Amino acid sequence: MKAALIQQSFTANKRENMAQSAARIREAAKNGARLIVLSELHNGLYFCQSENPDFFDLAETIPGESTDYFGAIAKELKVALVLSLFEKRAKGLYHNTALVIETNGTIAGKYRKMHVPDDPAFYEKFYFTQGDLGFKPIETSAGKLGVLVCWDQWFPEAARLMALNGADILIYPTAIGWDLNDSDDEKARQLEAWKTIQRSHAIANALPVISANRVGFEKERRDEGAGIDFWGHSFICGAQGEVIASADQSATILYADLDFNRSEKVRRIWPFLRDRRVDSYADLTKRFVD
Amino acid sequence: MKAALIQQSFTANKRENMAQSAARIREAAKNGARLIVLSELHNGLYFCQSENPDFFDLAETIPGESTDYFGAIAKELKVALVLSLFEKRAKGLYHNTALVIETNGTIAGKYRKMHVPDDPAFYEKFYFTQGDLGFKPIETSAGKLGVLVCWDQWFPEAARLMALNGADILIYPTAIGWDLNDSDDEKARQLEAWKTIQRSHAIANALPVISANRVGFEKERRDEGAGIDFWGHSFICGAQGEVIASADQSATILYADLDFNRSEKVRRIWPFLRDRRVDSYADLTKRFVD
């Protein structure tokens, strides 16, 4: 199964972003991809750099405009799409939601970001209520997709729960970048840590991982903050964490041929699921043991 | 706090191995190390390559010969030591046990390997009963040491539980190597996966990690199996997973100056402990969700 991820930059023009994504989805499909992953909140700039009540206007319902638009493309091209949207669930209730469009254009399922960050320039707790759908893979014709979102990538628990629920692959639409005030050393540590922890989820669970980030510098729009230099470096790795395809900081499409049966082979030589000490893991549901 | 790990090879002669370790502990202490970590089962060859009831003779009580021997050295040099022993707990009841000797020569605490492997040439389930002391850091004058052992390193749960119990550092005495029948590509993937997953525990928990492996080729002694080429590559990394010191496949001592206060700083910029979804982690105590 050939999978692709699209790494790109965005503008404040939603229609323009959607058209750009559509063009790149067409290109990826033409190159044989059957599963195509977009990066986090791919319909616009990363608005969470400041807390602005007006920005809730950017949200949309699911189903809605984007699922209609991309649903038609998925159906036409017979590809499965992983989208990432600012979901308006009800008046005053919003989520950071990823979803999968099936090859027939229907919504296969959705995942609401469970771990929501809140850090300088990433004020997501202002916008997004934490997810309430749990860690359930989305069943599709392209496999059981363990779709998670950005901040989730730092939590081994999220990856493990997707694996225990039968995921064939872990998929992370993401939007992460550098604070310009950080030193080059700190930037290098952050990028390497980001790649390392996601590769570790592949290793711990013997599952391939697709991580799709955005690129481009986005200046904070309200209080003239420093902005975020989105670091790209999207990648696809195999079930032992080995990198199959990786990007630098330019717009690109990455491809990988994935064989989900390889997880069975890897788990036979590294039978971690056999040996988990589930009798001794109860404290994982605690905040801290004190 | 200067820490050191000793990467070395062993023979079938226990006394010789102990003397070799003692000499290298003296060297590390002379170079300023206050915490010194030995690799897994450092008193002999890796006997688990075959299942042989006679090999239970290699076990010893705790306290016993090794804790007396190394306790005297620790006291003399005023260093904390992490040892790894084949523990005889009772007639017919054995564990793979790591322990910490305090700077005054006493036993600060012990950890019985919780995840016990059993794979071709690593027949540990024959020898070792799985640990029953849980994932509790050992309190010492050198900090709260999250001592785990080898196979534990593949389980994010073990590292997380040590962190939730207040560990200042994760320490993995280990004995891992290549099957000579594997391809060079497979060997490279395995080594890289091993480093990656341990560095990921540093990242997920904002804790430094010390991983001490052995080196040397050890031929299986009973049925003339292929043997194991222990791959060395011990390393020390910081709280963002950045490698501070690393070895190749030769005998060596690695050093690192560790500042446990850095974990506080890293957790302020990456507040993963703040955002864990403990309300949604219950299934981590299941073998599989089916």
Side-chain angles (χ1 to χ4, degrees):
Chain A
M1 203 271 296
K2 193 167 189 172
L5 71 81
I6 296 173
Q7 174 173 294
Q8 53 189 339
S9 61
F10 304 104
T11 69
N13 186 323
K14 182 176 182 178
R15 282 273 146 192
E16 205 170 271
N17 295 323
M18 290 170 77
Q20 176 183 268
S21 292
R24 287 173 176 160
I25 289 167
R26 285 181 194 285
E27 180 185 340
K30 200 172 152 190
N31 287 326
R34 306 330 306 160
L35 170 67
I36 301 170
V37 178
L38 295 177
S39 61
E40 187 182 15
L41 300 170
H42 48 77
N43 278 349
L45 296 172
Y46 183 71
F47 54 89
C48 312
Q49 287 197 56
S50 61
E51 301 193 358
N52 184 342
D54 293 341
F55 291 169
F56 287 106
D57 289 340
L58 299 168
E60 58 178 291
T61 57
I62 297 175
E65 183 189 0
S66 290
T67 56
D68 289 350
Y69 181 85
F70 289 107
I73 295 167
K75 186 176 179 181
E76 177 199 333
L77 303 174
K78 296 189 179 59
V79 295
L81 295 178
V82 178
L83 307 181
S84 168
L85 302 174
F86 183 12
E87 178 189 9
K88 178 165 185 154
R89 184 176 180 182
K91 288 183 181 71
L93 184 58
Y94 302 83
H95 294 281
N96 185 329
T97 301
L99 58 101
V100 184
I101 305 280
E102 253 296 8
T103 54
N104 63 2
T106 61
I107 298 172
K110 66 185 172 185
Y111 166 81
R112 293 185 176 129
K113 190 172 185 173
M114 290 288 283
H115 300 94
V116 177
D118 201 273
D119 303 294
F122 295 86
Y123 300 107
E124 295 198 15
K125 287 194 202 297
F126 176 72
Y127 294 103
F128 311 127
T129 293
Q130 59 185 18
D132 55 356
L133 299 176
F135 301 95
K136 303 289 180 196
I138 297 170
E139 300 237 26
T140 75
S141 58
K144 292 181 78 171
L145 309 184
V147 179
L148 295 159
V149 178
C150 201
W151 193 237
D152 293 319
Q153 69 212 351
W154 300 99
F155 298 82
E157 293 91 343
R160 181 69 94 202
L161 286 164
M162 283 294 185
L164 295 181
N165 278 285
D168 291 317
I169 183 171
L170 301 171
I171 297 174
Y172 296 91
T174 187
I176 189 168
W178 289 300
D179 178 337
L180 297 186
N181 295 318
D182 280 332
S183 69
D184 287 348
D185 281 355
E186 177 62 21
K187 288 179 183 175
R189 279 195 298 274
Q190 291 188 7
L191 173 57
E192 175 66 11
W194 175 80
K195 283 195 78 161
T196 299
I197 193 126
Q198 292 179 89
R199 292 173 57 213
S200 85
H201 305 325
I203 297 161
N205 299 292
L207 294 176
V209 169
I210 295 177
S211 179
N213 192 19
R214 68 171 63 193
V215 290
F217 177 71
E218 297 183 22
K219 192 155 176 55
E220 195 283 316
R221 287 171 290 171
R222 182 162 138 164
D223 64 5
E224 300 302 308
I228 301 173
D229 182 20
F230 290 95
W231 67 44
H233 283 86
S234 301
F235 68 94
I236 303 174
C237 72
Q240 290 177 299
E242 75 283 10
V243 176
I244 299 169
S246 63
D248 55 19
Q249 223 183 324
S250 51
T252 188
I253 303 176
L254 297 184
Y255 300 90
D257 283 308
L258 300 175
D259 172 12
F260 293 156
N261 290 324
R262 181 144 175 268
S263 294
E264 170 70 26
K265 290 176 196 159
V266 173
R267 287 178 182 173
R268 288 183 188 194
I269 62 160
W270 287 345
F272 308 141
L273 295 189
R274 179 194 69 190
D275 288 339
R276 293 176 68 245
R277 288 294 305 273
V278 292
D279 59 312
S280 301
Y281 289 169
D283 284 350
L284 290 172
T285 62
K286 292 185 179 168
R287 183 67 62 205
F288 200 75
V289 183
D290 48 14
Chain B
M1 202 271 295
K2 194 167 188 174
L5 71 81
I6 296 172
Q7 174 173 295
Q8 53 189 338
S9 60
F10 304 103
T11 68
N13 186 322
K14 182 177 182 178
R15 283 271 147 193
E16 207 170 270
N17 295 323
M18 290 170 76
Q20 176 183 266
S21 292
R24 288 174 175 161
I25 289 167
R26 285 181 193 285
E27 181 185 338
K30 200 173 151 190
N31 288 326
R34 305 333 302 161
L35 170 66
I36 301 170
V37 179
L38 295 177
S39 62
E40 187 181 15
L41 300 169
H42 49 78
N43 279 346
L45 296 172
Y46 183 71
F47 55 87
C48 312
Q49 286 198 55
S50 62
E51 300 193 359
N52 183 341
D54 292 341
F55 290 168
F56 287 104
D57 289 339
L58 298 168
E60 58 178 290
T61 57
I62 297 174
E65 182 189 3
S66 290
T67 55
D68 289 350
Y69 181 85
F70 289 106
I73 295 166
K75 186 176 179 182
E76 177 200 333
L77 303 173
K78 297 189 180 57
V79 295
L81 294 178
V82 178
L83 308 180
S84 168
L85 302 174
F86 183 13
E87 178 188 9
K88 178 167 185 152
R89 183 176 181 180
K91 289 183 182 69
L93 184 58
Y94 302 82
H95 294 282
N96 185 329
T97 301
L99 59 101
V100 183
I101 305 281
E102 252 296 5
T103 53
N104 63 2
T106 61
I107 297 172
K110 66 185 172 185
Y111 166 82
R112 291 183 176 132
K113 188 172 186 172
M114 290 288 284
H115 300 94
V116 177
D118 201 273
D119 303 294
F122 294 86
Y123 300 107
E124 295 199 15
K125 288 194 202 295
F126 176 73
Y127 294 103
F128 310 126
T129 293
Q130 60 185 16
D132 55 357
L133 299 177
F135 302 95
K136 304 287 182 199
I138 297 170
E139 299 236 26
T140 75
S141 58
K144 293 183 79 172
L145 309 184
V147 179
L148 295 159
V149 178
C150 201
W151 193 236
D152 292 320
Q153 69 212 351
W154 300 99
F155 298 82
E157 293 91 343
R160 181 68 95 201
L161 287 164
M162 283 294 186
L164 295 181
N165 278 285
D168 291 315
I169 183 172
L170 302 171
I171 298 174
Y172 296 91
T174 186
I176 189 167
W178 289 299
D179 178 336
L180 296 187
N181 295 318
D182 280 332
S183 69
D184 286 348
D185 280 354
E186 176 64 21
K187 288 180 183 175
R189 278 195 298 273
Q190 291 188 5
L191 172 57
E192 175 65 11
W194 175 80
K195 283 195 79 161
T196 300
I197 194 128
Q198 291 179 92
R199 291 175 57 213
S200 83
H201 304 326
I203 298 161
N205 300 291
L207 294 176
V209 169
I210 296 177
S211 180
N213 193 19
R214 67 172 63 195
V215 290
F217 177 72
E218 297 182 21
K219 193 155 175 56
E220 197 282 316
R221 287 171 291 173
R222 183 162 139 165
D223 63 5
E224 301 302 308
I228 301 174
D229 182 20
F230 290 96
W231 68 43
H233 283 85
S234 301
F235 68 94
I236 303 174
C237 72
Q240 289 176 298
E242 76 283 10
V243 177
I244 299 169
S246 62
D248 56 16
Q249 223 184 327
S250 50
T252 188
I253 303 177
L254 297 183
Y255 300 91
D257 283 309
L258 300 174
D259 171 12
F260 294 156
N261 291 323
R262 185 150 170 264
S263 294
E264 170 69 26
K265 289 175 197 160
V266 173
R267 286 178 183 174
R268 288 184 188 192
I269 63 161
W270 287 343
F272 308 141
L273 294 189
R274 179 193 68 189
D275 288 339
R276 294 176 67 245
R277 289 294 304 275
V278 293
D279 59 311
S280 302
Y281 289 169
D283 284 350
L284 289 171
T285 62
K286 292 186 179 167
R287 183 66 61 204
F288 200 75
V289 183
D290 48 11

